[in-house]
Amino acid sequence: MATKNLSEYNIETVPDASNMIFGIVVSEWNPEITGALLDGCRNTLEKHGALPENIHVKTVPGSFELIYGARQMTLNDGYDAVIILGCVIRGETPHFDYICQGVTQGIARLNATNNIPVVFGLLTTENMQQALDRAGGRLGNKGDECAVVAIKMAKF
């Protein structure tokens, strides 16, 4: 469980993003959650100077497809950073474990083999309430956190 508000950070430590271009890949699965994550991410990027026309969003059907979407963005579009946003909620089968593990490994591989940072914004929760808490609820918005990480990593 998150122990801090995901939307809280020291604003003074975030570089100016006005000359940066960001790619965001968003899963269509659990749209109530992923839409809120996207809103938080976009708003935070713009808050730090990113121009709306320099924030490019593409959707994929599910969380596993985030890997392919992120890979395509790192290859083709000249982004300073790519952010993946998705949500997997545990169910009654091992599917949750396979998807979470696969996406984690896929994004880690992209970060180890590419020159463009890929920021991991996949919520992996036990239930819908935990997801809501992290998508603008009582624990803030993981999308905000991902935007800050993307700006910092783009400047790295």
Side-chain angles (χ1 to χ4, degrees):
M1 177 179 234
T3 57
K4 68 176 192 103
N5 186 317
L6 298 165
S7 297
E8 291 178 1
Y9 59 94
N10 182 349
I11 196 167
E12 295 172 10
T13 66
V14 183
D16 176 43
S18 59
N19 292 320
M20 297 179 183
I21 300 173
F22 298 94
I24 304 173
V25 185
V26 184
S27 170
E28 295 172 341
W29 198 258
N30 293 312
E32 177 182 1
I33 303 301
T34 60
L37 295 173
L38 176 59
D39 289 345
C41 187
R42 241 192 213 142
N43 292 338
T44 300
L45 290 172
E46 289 179 21
K47 175 178 164 181
H48 292 287
L51 301 173
E53 60 267 24
N54 288 340
I55 302 170
H56 304 163
V57 179
K58 303 230 181 200
T59 60
V60 295
S63 292
F64 197 76
E65 292 78 22
L66 290 166
I67 304 163
Y68 177 83
R71 173 73 171 144
Q72 293 308 304
M73 284 188 156
T74 65
L75 290 175
N76 300 320
D77 296 314
Y79 296 109
D80 294 294
V82 173
I83 302 163
I84 63 125
L85 299 173
C87 177
V88 183
I89 300 171
R90 186 177 299 278
E92 296 178 7
T93 70
H95 180 75
F96 172 91
D97 298 313
Y98 301 138
I99 296 299
C100 295
Q101 203 167 56
V103 176
T104 300
Q105 290 173 355
I107 298 304
R109 190 174 324 109
L110 288 177
N111 276 307
T113 59
N114 288 306
N115 293 324
I116 298 168
V118 179
V119 177
F120 188 85
L122 180 70
L123 291 180
T124 57
T125 64
E126 295 293 324
N127 55 56
M128 179 60 85
Q129 187 58 55
Q130 287 180 350
L132 290 166
D133 288 346
R134 291 158 178 77
R138 70 180 183 86
L139 295 174
N141 191 319
K142 181 72 171 174
D144 295 337
E145 182 185 59
C146 289
V148 170
V149 170
I151 294 167
K152 287 182 175 185
M153 291 307 296
K155 195 70 171 178
F156 185 77

